Amino acid sequence: MSDTTYALEARNITKRFGRVQALHGISLNLKPGEMLGILGDNGAGKSTLMKILSGFHAPSSGELLVNGQQVAFESVDHARSHGIECVYQDLALVNTLSVYHNMFLNRELRKPGTPFLDHKAMRERAAAALADIGVNVPSVDEEVGMLSGGQRQAIAIARAVSSNARVLLLDEPLAAMGAREAGMIIALIERLKARGDVSLIMIAHNYAQTLDVADKVMMVQRGTCTFEGRSAETSVMELLDIVKREYRAAAQ
Amino acid sequence: MNKTKATLPTLLLRKPEASILLAGIVLVIVFQILTPNFFTDANLQTVSQFFAPWTLIACGEIMLLIAGEVDLSVGQVFALAPFIMHFAMLAGLPVILGVIVALLVSALLGLFIGVITVRFGVPSFITTLGAMLLFNGLTLTISGGFPIDTPAGATGFVLGGWDYSEILWAVVIALGMHVMLRHTRWGLHTVAVGGNPTGAAEAGIHIRRIKIGNFMLCSLLGGFAGILNAFHVTSIDPNAGGANVMFLAIASAVIGGTSLMGGSGTILGGLIGAAVLGILQDGFTLLGINAFTFDIITGAAILITMISNVQFAAWRRRSRT
Ligand SMILES: Nc1ncnc2c1ncn2[C@@H]1O[C@H](COP(=O)(O)OP(=O)(O)OP(=O)(O)O)[C@@H](O)[C@H]1O
Ligand SMILES: [Mg+2]
């Protein structure tokens, strides 16, 4: 092993939900500023892996290290305090709350020295953060339930990005996006990468897009890692072959 | 920002509080025309004493409904709390401490049902239905089934002795709860927990803590309302409150615009809803309509508002997209 300290490292993570073994021992690492793309079938365990990295689930076994230090996350807040922020596949938005309340969910700003929310400051900062990314919403006062799928996704991403996280976990951030909006999010990811201090993990189903934007990719199938490689040295055909091989093996 | 013009129709559309307020004003005018004595001091006292108890309880139920839960047993805490106060005083405590002990016990009862609901994942409809019987049995056992007199003194006067004590407490607490719901993290997280439990948990909100806290708050308010009411009628009655006051509280909440699906609600709407139910009950009494007819009419009114609430919310959504 080299003496690099990884921003985030996972060693041999397993996760069992009752009788379902979702993860069979997955390892990954991320250098500061690096981006990993995770590909794989539906139900393969990708989201479960993300939720372990974000502190939402505790792993059944395995180790997590942040900046070379072993950690055992007790909660999402705990992971957050280590600079890890996640955009969940279901977006974790509350439909009956306004855009700006969602942007600050569980990180609310309060008027100094009081228990009272500073709605004004949150509204302004939310609007600024959305404008910064180029997200188009009618008003930050609008209830999130009134917005389109793509707009909702953009808000969830904007929330994570504006939190100044060191490690950003994105679970299918492009799923509900139109081509223009997806392009906008990819541009945002590229800007973050150019800054060089944010490490990213992105789950996606589009191989070409993922190879294009990520530095390296891994394939997760049935709870195990079946492929790992640098994006520059990997082709879409190669990934498709792996899926086909796995599919044939399963069929027999 | 697309500011909607504050014309009456748009206000009625956007704010559920506005439509119930309008209904209340119309009712007051109708009753004042039909009966000469609606706006007399004596009648205003009667009205306010009518709805003060279920206003307090509605505040607690609104928080629970927003969080996606309900408490059916709060009317039994209403009856039990004054007895706890009585026995604390028999044990030698002064009135004020007796009240505090009773409030603590009320909150503990809320903790009890909250923990059972949340830990075992039983719907609160079921847990609190059980608790309803349990608490009622407790009250009947410790009281022997007989009413007793409330203690005399200043504490009792402040709590429920003065003619407008109860309503003053109810309105002040409702305003405080409104601020809590709209302007504190607790209120915002309550909405989040009811609106999207999984999402709230993913955002790191402790959903169990929020739910249990709101169960405790609701029971506490139920106990407090029971104590105020006991001092007001100067009698501690094991049959006070009960399902009736709980039902009126939930009806006030829903009439005021709180969703039964969780994730949205308003304390101010509940306050107005409670007042409207009080005005209805009082107006019918003044008109000499008997209690059975009253039940039929309020029952129907509640059903209609509940249905229109659901329809209206759906329509409001459609009309804005
Ligand atoms: N909380 C849970 N309780 C029980 N089983 C779960 C839970 N979460 C996930 N699973 C199971 O774990 C397995 C992996 O699910 P996961 O959501 O991680 O898949 P995924 O790779 O993200 O799939 P997709 O591409 O469809 O999002 C599935 O079999 C799923 O049913
Ligand atoms: Mg997934």
Side-chain angles (χ1 to χ4, degrees), chain B residues 223-257:
Chain B
F224 188 58
I227 291 169
L228 293 187
N229 197 245
F231 277 116
H232 164 62
V233 300
T234 65
S235 158
I236 303 179
D237 184 346
N239 295 313
N244 194 44
V245 75
M246 172 274 295
F247 178 70
L248 285 164
I250 293 177
S252 305
V254 175
I255 288 175

Side-chain angles (χ1 to χ4, degrees), chain A residues 53-82:
Chain A
L53 299 177
S54 77
F56 186 75
H57 288 317
S60 301
S61 70
E63 292 171 7
L64 287 179
L65 295 91
V66 175
N67 297 321
Q69 299 289 311
Q70 193 156 343
V71 290
F73 294 145
E74 279 146 20
S75 65
V76 173
D77 287 333
H78 188 196
R80 214 176 244 174
S81 72
H82 280 89

Side-chain angles (χ1 to χ4, degrees), chain A residues 93-230:
Chain A
L93 296 175
V94 180
N95 282 343
T96 50
L97 288 177
S98 69
V99 170
Y100 76 88
H101 281 134
N102 270 286
M103 289 279 292
F104 282 93
L105 195 57
N106 206 24
R107 306 187 272 129
E108 294 85 0
L109 304 177
R110 279 178 285 193
K111 294 185 182 135
T114 75
F116 302 115
L117 299 172
D118 194 341
H119 295 290
K120 190 166 170 284
M122 288 193 280
R123 188 183 284 127
E124 285 167 5
R125 286 207 213 169
L130 289 169
D132 191 35
I133 295 170
V135 174
N136 209 352
V137 293
S139 153
V140 288
D141 294 314
E142 192 67 80
E143 278 181 19
V144 159
M146 305 287 171
L147 302 179
S148 75
Q151 287 173 322
R152 291 160 47 81
Q153 202 148 18
I155 288 163
I157 293 169
R159 168 168 72 187
V161 170
S162 65
S163 69
N164 291 319
R166 311 302 302 268
V167 178
L168 261 184
L169 311 173
L170 307 170
D171 194 345
E172 302 197 27
L174 306 175
M177 297 261 175
R180 193 185 75 84
E181 287 80 3
M184 221 163 64
I185 298 302
I186 297 225
L188 170 67
I189 289 171
E190 267 162 357
R191 280 212 305 277
L192 287 172
K193 279 178 65 186
R195 256 172 47 192
D197 58 347
V198 183
S199 314
L200 292 125
I201 302 182
M202 177 174 85
I203 298 177
H205 285 292
N206 185 322
Y207 295 173
Q209 223 168 26
T210 309
L211 285 173
D212 201 37
V213 67
D215 302 303
K216 55 183 189 180
V217 294
M218 75 189 262
M219 174 82 77
V220 177
Q221 290 175 305
R222 292 194 275 173
T224 48
C225 173
T226 51
F227 175 83
E228 242 182 321
R230 311 294 308 173

